[in-house]
């Protein structure tokens, strides 16, 4: 079993990746991927994140068992906040799962800022700039 921790960061397409994995991971056959349900609320592993952040490994141990039972090539855990975990929490993950590969997507800062601004506009937090009249 190969473990993949998708640690996101904001505005890098994490939700699109999570939505795809939540709905389509079982359809992938080469390699076979399981997007673990244990510790997941909706499309991301937020519950698992908070349990590990609080020093608990019960959800992580259950996720490990789910991954091993699936007999997949890769088991994926994904949450945008994983990159914020303290060293002690990261050690808990390693102690429970063993070695894992970390997937981190980054974005050019100008594209990140533009995406963030567009999100604020869509949420009606910032007015859209008007062009010349």
């Amino acid at each position: 079993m190969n473990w993949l921790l998708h640690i996101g960061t904001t505005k890098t397409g994490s939700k699109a990746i999570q939505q795809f994995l939540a709905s389509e991971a079982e359809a992938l056959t080469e390699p076979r991927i399981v997007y673990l349900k244990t510790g997941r609320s909706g499309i991301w592993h937020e519950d698992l994140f908070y349990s590990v952040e609080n020093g608990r490994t019960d959800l992580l141990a259950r996720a490990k068992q789910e991954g091993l039972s699936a007999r997949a090539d890769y088991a994926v855990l994904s949450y945008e906040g994983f990159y914020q975990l303290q060293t002690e929490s990261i050690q808990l993950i390693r102690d429970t799962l063993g070695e894992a590969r970390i997937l981190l997507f980054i974005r050019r800062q100008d594209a990140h800022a533009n995406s963030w601004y567009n999100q604020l506009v869509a949420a009606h937090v910032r007015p859209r700039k008007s062009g010349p009249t």
Side-chain angles (χ1 to χ4, degrees):
M1 169 66 64
N2 294 291
W3 296 97
L4 301 175
L5 298 178
H6 173 236
I7 65 173
T9 66
T10 59
K11 309 312 300 166
T12 59
S14 295
K15 285 182 188 64
I17 292 167
Q18 292 157 345
Q19 287 172 338
F20 173 80
L21 289 171
S23 64
E24 303 296 329
E26 292 177 7
L28 301 173
T29 58
E30 286 292 324
R32 186 154 185 273
I33 297 173
V34 62
Y35 190 51
L36 301 172
K37 292 180 181 170
T38 304
R40 196 172 89 199
S41 51
I43 61 170
W44 56 40
H45 293 94
E46 182 177 33
D47 295 344
L48 190 138
F49 167 82
Y50 285 115
S51 72
V52 170
E53 185 180 53
N54 290 318
R56 295 184 15 241
T57 59
D58 54 318
L59 282 178
L60 192 59
R62 288 196 338 244
K64 179 180 181 177
Q65 189 56 46
E66 178 190 347
L68 294 172
S69 296
R71 299 184 189 271
D73 300 307
Y74 294 94
V76 181
L77 297 168
S78 177
Y79 183 62
E80 287 183 359
F82 277 147
Y83 75 94
Q84 299 171 347
L85 287 173
Q86 299 297 311
T87 305
E88 298 80 20
S89 299
I90 295 167
Q91 188 63 48
L92 284 177
I93 293 172
R94 182 178 169 98
D95 290 347
T96 304
L97 296 181
E99 289 194 26
R101 292 183 183 178
I102 306 299
L103 302 174
L104 170 65
F105 292 90
I106 56 175
R107 191 175 202 174
R108 285 183 16 192
Q109 289 302 298
D110 59 336
H112 181 278
N114 186 52
S115 177
W116 183 252
Y117 178 76
N118 288 335
Q119 182 176 343
L120 293 175
V121 169
H124 305 291
V125 175
R126 292 276 186 254
R128 190 172 298 280
K129 290 183 181 179
S130 59
T133 56

